[in-house]
Structure formats: C-alpha cells, structure tokens
C-alpha cells in the first residue's frame, strides 16, 4: 500500500482518519446538547413555572357556557411551538400499514447519513489529482463507522448517558439506535468493497488473522441486521434476543482486533464499558428491588405472581407491590420469570398497568372508618390492585408469552423478578384538558395516567377541568379487565373535574363474550367454594353500574377519532394533552386529527388550545 502512495498522501490519510471521526463526534455532541437544553428546559418549565390560566391571560371569555375566543398576538410564541410540534411529530412518512416515521425522525436520519457521507468523501482527491480516490475513502469510511460504535451501543442500553443528557428515555431512542447501526452497516460494506477494489492482493491476505476476524465480524453484523428487521423482531422476539446478544459480542470483539492494527481500536473498546455499566446498574437494581420483597428466602412464597387469562390473547399478571418499589404512571418494567422463559435470565418489557398511589391514605383521612386490608377493599373494592399492586396486561404472541398463557390457563403462579421502572412519565398537571386514547391492552399505559390525573386533582396538584378516556375494544367482555377501577375513578373524581368515558366495541355481536367469574379482579385468596351464580351476578351488576354512571357511554362500532378529538379541541381552552397507546392505525388517526388546522397557528392565535401529543409505542421496540 505504501509503495503506491506518496509521503504527502500517507500524511493526509493518517491525519484525516483521526480528525474527521472526532469532528463527527463534536457535531453529534453539539446536537445532543441542544436537544437536551430544549428537553430539560421544557421539563423545568412544566414543573416550576406553573400553568397559565388562559381564561384571563389569553383573553378567553366564557358567557352562558359558550367560549368566545379572541385573536391575540400575545400567543405568537405558543403558535410557533405548536407549529413545530405538528411539523416535527404529527407529519409522518408512512411505509405500508405498520411502519411510521415522524418528520423529526426523518430529519435526524437524513442529517446523520449525510454527515457521515460528507466526511467520508470530502478531500478524497489524491496528490496526483485523482478525485474520489478509493484509497482515501475506503479506510476513512471504516474509521467513521468504528467511531460510532460507542454511541450505538449506549443507545441500545437501558441506562445510558444519551438519555441523561437529552432527557429522552431509552425506548424513544431505540429508533435512533437501529438507524445508526444500519448506517454503520452500510458504511462497513462500502469499506469492504473499496478494499477489494483497491488491493488486488486482497485474496492473498485472507490467511492473516486481522482480516479473518474482520470478515467474521461483518458476517455476525449482517445476521444481526437481518434478525432486527421489524417483522422478524416482532414475530420471533426470543430469536432476535439471543442472536442480538451473540452477534453484537462477536462483532465488537472481531472489530476490536481488526482495527487494532490500524490504531482504531480505541473507538471500539468504550462499547464494552457502556454495556458493562448498563448490566451492572441493572443487576444492582434487581438486588435492591427484589432482595427484601422477593426475599431470596426459601419457603416464603413472596416471589409468586398470580396469572389470569382474561381472553385468548391477554394475560393479567399481579404482584404484591414491594414497599420500596415506586414508579410513575406509564412507566415499564422488565420481568424475569425463570420458570417460563427459555433461559433463566431473560428479561421481557411490559407497561405497568397500575398506579403507585397514595389514594388509600387520602381516602382514609377523609373517612376513618375501617382499617388495613378490609378498609382498602371497602374503599376501592376489587379495583384495589390497580392502586396498590403491580399489574401487567400481557399480549400473547409466541414463545415466552405463549408459555405464560399456558400457566394462566391453569390459574398457576410464577416466580418473578422485577427490573425497573424504566421510561418516561408525562407530567399532565399543567393541562386544562387531558384526553386518553387506547386500543385493547393499550390501557396498560392510559389507565394509570388517567388515575393519576384524578388523584392529582383531588389533592389540589392539578387544575385539570376535563378528562376524557376513549377505549376501543373487540368485545364487551374486555370491559371487565378494568371496570372496577373505572367505576371507582369516576366516584372519586372531585366535582370540579368532568370525567367522560367513551368505550367503543368494534367486535360483532358474536364476538361479545359473556362475563365470566374470573373476569373480576378478585383477591386470589378468596374462597374457592363461592357459588358461581353469585360471582356472575356480581359482575353483571358491576357492568350495569359502570354504564349508569354519568359521563360513561359504550357504543358499538369503530370510534371516529378525528371527530372526537376535533370536538374536544373545539370545547377546550388553555392547554390540552392527548395520550395515545394502541395500534399503528390508532396512532395514525390521532396524529392526523391533530394536524393543521386543528393545532395550526391560526387556531392558537384565535384562542384555541395548545395541544401536546404523547404517543406510546405498541410492541417490543
């Protein structure tokens, strides 16, 4: 190689292979810093500046229950913010029926790829004047890709510095992790092709160890990219889980030894540090959150979790809450079930469907009658687990969840270790109106946040005036999953808060399942000898009670989310949040409904509500 290059070429090559990856890192770091400033600034503003009362500050006047909204130039900053929200997060690039990218993700993707390609191909003219000399860019492009390994690895971990800096949770950064990994994969294959073209003696060097480990690393990386495609990842998650772990290990080890000769291994070894740090933190969390409650004590039985088969595709898992385990509504936890999973250390993510609440204490100070477990049952009935236990609604697919379904069908118990909580929790205390949209088991996310809003209003920590709960289900029997919690939530809502619950049954009459005795959230310690007809009558009366409450309505057919959300926006003033968790179709419908002109500058300037949208993903990633 050196014989074909002048000394000036060699100096330029070595210098650019060092400085260009560093400059890429400076650019990425600056971008993350800016994002972090905006993100943390928004959090601080939300928590400490308090909500603005738009009824007076924004010249909104209410007369005879009809809101007359006036045009105001004072709302220009708010109009700009809403314009950015719509363009960045509600305008989307839709690929097929199940894949959606918002414009923020599209921008980051295009900018990142462009950044790497620019640094790969600038200044590639040799001293002799040959433009785009492959000897220049083939090695440089490999160094650029190698320099990205640490951040790609960090983005794939649960506890990482990127989340700390930006304030964005690991699950929302998962797309960036996959995008950056695939970009590096593309660059490395370009590097391999360039090496083959530039060096005719390439085949003669196949016996050298540095080249063999490099080829092995690329084979492992190629397998990883294939199994990480969404259809494969969703259908056979366990296969992806194992292959991902082994492929990354082989790739990083091979990449380290391959780049060592070119003095580029210093970009690779930090990946092992980030991965080890994440595993260390997770092990510590497992010990801290499980040792006293789950005990590690023989014969205590405290590791047992109750399983219930709610439908053919949903299992409910219940754990008595560890006293020192606290979480915020909408967060997730990783569950390790050695008796169910293929390997004893498998961890599977699920949204916590219950709420870490002080509602029982609040209610008890208002009414001192009763005490202990009996009092809790008296206040909350069979909905108590949603306030005092860990509850998970698990969608049944294949592999691990299929085995869990078999346990639930036998009404068995499983031993569980909890790793968490993880993920963000939206602070909805400053919104005048909060709307929740869920499909099926998407209520795992919306229900605890819904309960949280009601509790915060009761405690005077939120000025929310209206909360709307929209749930699309495939059969009327699904209501039994959470109806006790909904009933109690409506009953506990203060007079200042208007609660509207809209349930849409999208299934045909033939799919409407009768209410069965195991549909209620009864205590697993109840006597098994209770007559079946008594339990059925109790569930039937509960359903009637839910539908008889003011503001609760159940309809047949699909929900017209566009009309429903536009109606809520037209009635709202001040600030409004919309939280959605469901299928891609539901998320798309909500995004479309909240685009221009509903959340456009003209609407905001005319006194319309400032709408913030929170979208929770459905699935593993």
């Amino acid at each position: 190689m050196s014989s074909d290059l002048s000394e000036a070429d060699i100096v330029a090559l070595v210098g650019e292979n060092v400085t260009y990856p560093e400059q890429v890192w400076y650019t990425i770091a600056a971008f993350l810093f800016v994002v972090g400033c905006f993100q943390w600034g928004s959090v601080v503003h939300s928590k400490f500046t308090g909500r603005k009362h738009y009824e007076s500050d924004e010249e909104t006047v209410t007369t005879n229950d009809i809101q007359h909204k006036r045009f105001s130039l004072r709302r220009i900053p708010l109009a700009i913010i809403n314009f950015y929200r719509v363009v960045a997060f509600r305008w989307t690039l839709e690929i097929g029926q199940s894949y959606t990218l918002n414009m923020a993700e599209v921008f980051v993707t295009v900018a990142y790829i462009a950044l790497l390609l620019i640094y790969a191909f600038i200044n590639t003219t040799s001293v002799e004047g040959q433009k785009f000399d492959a000897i220049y860019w083939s090695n440089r492009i490999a160094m650029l890709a190698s320099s990205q390994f640490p951040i790609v690895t960090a983005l794939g971990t649960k506890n990482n510095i990127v989340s700390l800096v930006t304030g964005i949770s690991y699950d929302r950064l998962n797309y960036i992790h996959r995008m950056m990994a695939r970009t590096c994969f593309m660059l490395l294959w370009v590097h391999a092709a360039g090496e083959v073209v530039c060096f005719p003696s390439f085949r003669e060097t196949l016996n050298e160890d540095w080249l063999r480990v490099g080829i092995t690393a690329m084979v492992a990386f190629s397998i990883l990219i294939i199994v990480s495609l969404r259809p494969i990842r969703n259908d056979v998650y366990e296969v992806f889980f194992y292959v991902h772990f082994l492929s990354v290990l082989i790739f990083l080890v091979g990449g380290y030894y391959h780049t060592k000769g070119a003095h580029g291994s210093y970009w690779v070894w930090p990946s092992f540090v980030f991965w080890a740090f994440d595993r260390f933190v997770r092990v510590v969390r497992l010990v801290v959150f499980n040792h006293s409650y789950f005990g590690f004590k023989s014969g205590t039985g405290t590791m047992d979790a109750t399983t219930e088969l709610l439908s053919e595709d949903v299992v409910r898992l219940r754990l008595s809450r560890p006293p020192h385990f606290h979480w915020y509504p909408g967060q997730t936890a990783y569950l390790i079930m050695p008796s169910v999973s293929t390997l004893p250390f498998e961890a599977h993510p699920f949204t916590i469907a219950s709420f870490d609440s002080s509602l029982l204490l609040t209610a008890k100070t208002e009414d001192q009658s009763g005490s202990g477990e009996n009092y809790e049952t008296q206040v909350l009935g069979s909905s108590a687990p949603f306030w005092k236990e860990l509850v998970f609604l698990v969608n049944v697919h294949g592999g691990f969840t299929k085995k869990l379904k078999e346990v639930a069908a036998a009404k068995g118990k499983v031993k569980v270790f909890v790793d968490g909580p993880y993920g963000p929790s939206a602070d909805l205390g400053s919104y005048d109106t909060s709307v929740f949209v869920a499909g099926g088991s998407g209520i795992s996310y919306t229900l605890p946040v819904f309960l949280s809003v009601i509790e915060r209003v009761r405690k005077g920590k939120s000025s929310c005036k209206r909360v709307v709960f929209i749930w699309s289900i495939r059969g009327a029997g699904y209501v039994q999953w959470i109806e006790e919690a909904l009933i109690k939530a409506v009953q506990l809502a203060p007079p200042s808060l208007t609660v509207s619950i809209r349930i849409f049954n999208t299934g045909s009459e033939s799919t409407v399942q009768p209410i069965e005795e195991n549909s209620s959230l009864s205590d697993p310690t109840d006597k098994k000898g209770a007559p079946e007809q008594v339990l059925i009558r109790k569930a039937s009366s509960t359903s009637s009670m839910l539908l008889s409450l003011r503001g609760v309505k159940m309809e047949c057919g699909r929900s017209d989310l566009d009309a429903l959300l536009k109606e809520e926006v037209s009635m709202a003033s001040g600030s409004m949040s919309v939280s959605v968790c469901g299928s891609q179709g539901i998320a798309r419908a909500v995004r479309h409904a909240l685009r221009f002109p509903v959340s456009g500058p003209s609407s905001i300037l005319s006194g319309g509500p400032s709408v913030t949208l929170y979208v929770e993903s459905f699935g593993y990633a």
Side-chain angles (χ1 to χ4, degrees):
M1 174 178 176
S2 58
S3 61
D4 298 329
L5 296 173
S6 67
E7 185 176 347
D9 282 323
I10 295 175
V11 172
L13 280 172
V14 173
E16 291 167 354
N17 286 352
V18 173
T19 58
Y20 284 2
E22 290 178 351
Q23 291 175 16
V24 169
W25 259 95
Y26 294 148
T27 304
I28 294 175
F31 174 75
L32 294 178
F33 176 76
V34 172
V35 171
C37 288
F38 279 102
Q39 190 76 8
W40 286 112
S42 175
V43 172
V44 171
H45 179 272
S46 173
K47 288 185 177 296
F48 297 106
T49 62
R51 64 183 291 275
K52 294 181 179 180
H53 297 279
Y54 292 98
E55 293 80 1
S56 56
D57 294 347
E58 304 299 344
E59 303 177 318
T60 301
V61 181
T62 303
T63 306
N64 295 328
D65 295 328
I66 299 178
Q67 295 179 346
H68 301 281
K69 302 171 181 177
R70 299 178 181 176
F71 183 88
S72 173
L73 294 178
R74 294 170 57 190
R75 296 172 67 88
I76 289 179
L78 197 60
I80 294 174
I81 292 174
N82 278 265
F83 178 84
Y84 163 74
R85 288 172 178 168
V86 172
V87 172
F89 303 109
R90 298 174 206 170
W91 283 6
T92 57
L93 174 64
E94 298 174 356
I95 305 171
Q97 296 296 318
S98 61
Y99 202 86
T100 301
L101 294 177
N102 60 48
M103 288 298 107
E105 292 171 333
V106 172
F107 168 78
V108 170
T109 301
V110 173
Y112 180 73
I113 295 174
L115 176 68
L116 291 181
L117 291 180
I118 288 172
Y119 272 98
F121 292 105
I122 60 171
N123 295 331
T124 54
T125 303
S126 67
V127 176
E128 289 76 16
Q130 181 181 349
K131 295 183 178 181
F132 298 106
D133 191 335
I135 294 178
Y136 272 73
W137 57 255
S138 64
N139 275 308
R140 186 197 300 171
I141 207 169
M143 294 299 291
L144 287 169
S146 299
S147 71
Q148 301 304 294
F149 294 169
I151 191 171
V152 172
T153 304
L155 289 169
T157 60
K158 310 300 180 292
N159 308 279
N160 65 78
I161 191 172
V162 180
S163 292
L164 180 64
V165 171
T166 62
I168 303 174
S169 66
Y170 81 93
D171 55 328
R172 299 192 184 280
L173 292 171
N174 192 264
Y175 165 77
I176 306 299
H177 163 72
R178 298 194 305 272
M179 179 273 294
M180 294 179 72
R182 290 163 183 169
T183 302
C184 291
F185 174 74
M186 174 192 69
L187 295 180
L188 289 175
W189 272 116
V190 173
H191 159 69
E195 292 295 295
V196 172
V197 171
C198 290
F199 302 100
S201 61
F202 177 81
R203 292 184 179 181
E204 299 175 3
T205 60
L206 287 176
N207 292 329
E208 297 186 21
D209 292 339
W210 66 271
L211 184 56
R212 286 185 171 184
V213 295
I215 294 174
T216 303
M218 280 307 299
V219 170
F221 202 2
S222 301
I223 294 173
L224 172 59
I225 292 297
I226 293 173
V227 299
S228 67
L229 296 175
R230 175 168 291 191
I232 299 176
R233 191 173 72 246
N234 287 348
D235 292 342
V236 283
Y237 180 76
E238 282 80 6
V239 173
F240 162 75
F241 179 85
Y242 302 132
V243 173
H244 183 279
F245 177 82
L246 292 175
S247 298
V248 169
L249 181 62
I250 294 172
F251 171 71
L252 289 178
V253 172
Y256 175 82
Y257 285 104
H258 180 74
T259 58
K260 196 171 183 180
H263 305 288
S265 58
Y266 64 91
W267 287 117
V268 181
W269 66 259
S271 300
F272 297 101
V273 176
F274 290 138
W275 182 87
F277 174 77
D278 174 65
R279 292 294 161 175
F280 173 76
V281 172
R282 294 184 68 178
V283 169
V284 170
R285 291 165 72 99
L286 273 174
V287 173
V288 170
F289 290 130
N290 295 276
H291 86 281
S292 61
Y293 175 70
F294 295 124
F296 298 122
K297 298 177 182 178
S298 59
T300 60
T302 53
M303 291 175 63
D304 290 344
T306 302
T307 61
E308 302 171 76
L309 187 60
L310 299 181
S311 68
E312 284 300 312
D313 55 0
V314 176
V315 172
R316 179 163 54 204
L317 196 70
R318 291 173 51 192
L319 304 166
S320 295
R321 179 192 141 189
H324 53 290
F325 185 90
H326 299 282
W327 69 96
Y328 293 102
Q331 289 190 296
T332 61
Y334 279 74
L335 304 184
I336 301 174
M337 306 181 201
S339 62
V340 178
S341 57
T342 304
L343 296 178
F345 53 82
E346 281 183 27
H348 295 261
F350 300 102
T351 303
I352 304 174
S354 51
F355 173 39
D356 185 8
S357 169
S358 59
L359 181 59
L360 293 173
L361 297 176
T362 304
K364 193 169 182 176
T365 58
E366 296 173 357
D367 183 0
Q368 294 294 329
S369 61
S371 61
E373 294 292 332
N374 292 334
Y375 175 73
E376 293 172 354
T377 302
Q378 176 184 339
V379 173
L380 298 175
S382 61
S383 71
F386 283 107
W387 275 273
K388 69 168 191 164
E389 293 185 4
L390 280 168
V391 179
F392 300 90
L393 298 178
V394 180
N395 270 326
V396 177
H397 296 288
F400 169 80
T401 55
K402 185 177 180 180
K403 295 178 183 177
L404 185 61
K405 176 185 176 181
E406 295 172 357
V407 176
K411 299 183 179 180
K413 293 187 177 183
V414 293
K415 297 186 183 300
V416 180
F417 290 92
V418 180
D419 174 22
Y422 291 103
S425 178
D427 183 4
L428 305 184
S430 61
Y431 295 98
D432 299 273
T433 303
S434 290
V435 179
F436 302 95
V437 182
S441 61
I443 45 101
S444 295
Y445 172 78
T446 58
L447 177 64
V449 185
F450 170 70
L451 300 178
S452 171
V453 169
I454 291 178
E455 176 169 313
R456 295 190 68 176
V457 174
R458 280 176 58 89
K459 297 167 72 174
K461 295 183 178 180
S462 171
S463 299
C464 183
K465 298 178 178 60
R466 178 173 173 82
V467 60
V468 182
F469 188 89
I470 301 172
W471 187 24
S472 297
I473 56 178
R474 296 179 183 175
Y478 286 30
V479 177
Q480 299 298 316
W481 300 357
I482 62 168
E483 68 173 345
E484 285 282 1
L486 293 178
I487 291 171
K488 196 55 61 177
V490 174
Q491 293 174 341
L492 292 172
S496 62
L497 179 65
T498 301
V499 178
S500 174
I501 298 177
R502 305 285 297 274
I503 301 174
F504 294 87
N505 178 13
T506 62
S508 62
E509 294 184 2
S510 60
T511 64
V512 177
Q513 302 174 353
I515 300 169
E516 300 177 359
E517 61 173 301
N518 63 356
S519 296
S520 65
L521 247 174
S522 56
D523 194 316
T525 60
D526 288 346
K527 295 180 180 180
K528 297 181 179 179
E532 180 180 352
Q533 61 271 24
V534 174
L535 293 172
I536 293 177
R537 185 163 58 250
K538 177 181 178 181
S540 300
S541 62
T542 301
S543 298
S544 301
M545 184 177 181
L546 173 64
L547 297 178
S548 67
L549 295 175
R550 183 179 180 182
V552 180
K553 187 176 182 181
M554 185 171 181
E555 306 172 41
C556 292
R558 294 183 178 276
S559 58
D560 187 350
L561 292 176
D562 185 79
L564 289 171
L565 291 174
K566 288 180 179 177
E567 179 184 0
E568 292 298 330
V569 171
S570 67
M571 294 190 300
S573 63
S575 57
M576 174 178 172
S577 69
V578 178
S579 305
V580 56
C581 183
S583 64
Q584 284 289 340
I586 290 178
R588 286 180 177 182
V590 172
R591 283 192 176 103
H592 290 176
L594 298 178
R595 292 176 180 175
F596 302 140
V598 174
S599 297
S602 60
S603 173
I604 303 301
L605 292 174
S606 300
S610 172
V611 182
T612 304
L613 175 61
Y614 299 93
V615 179
E616 183 69 10
S617 299
F618 231 19
Y620 290 108

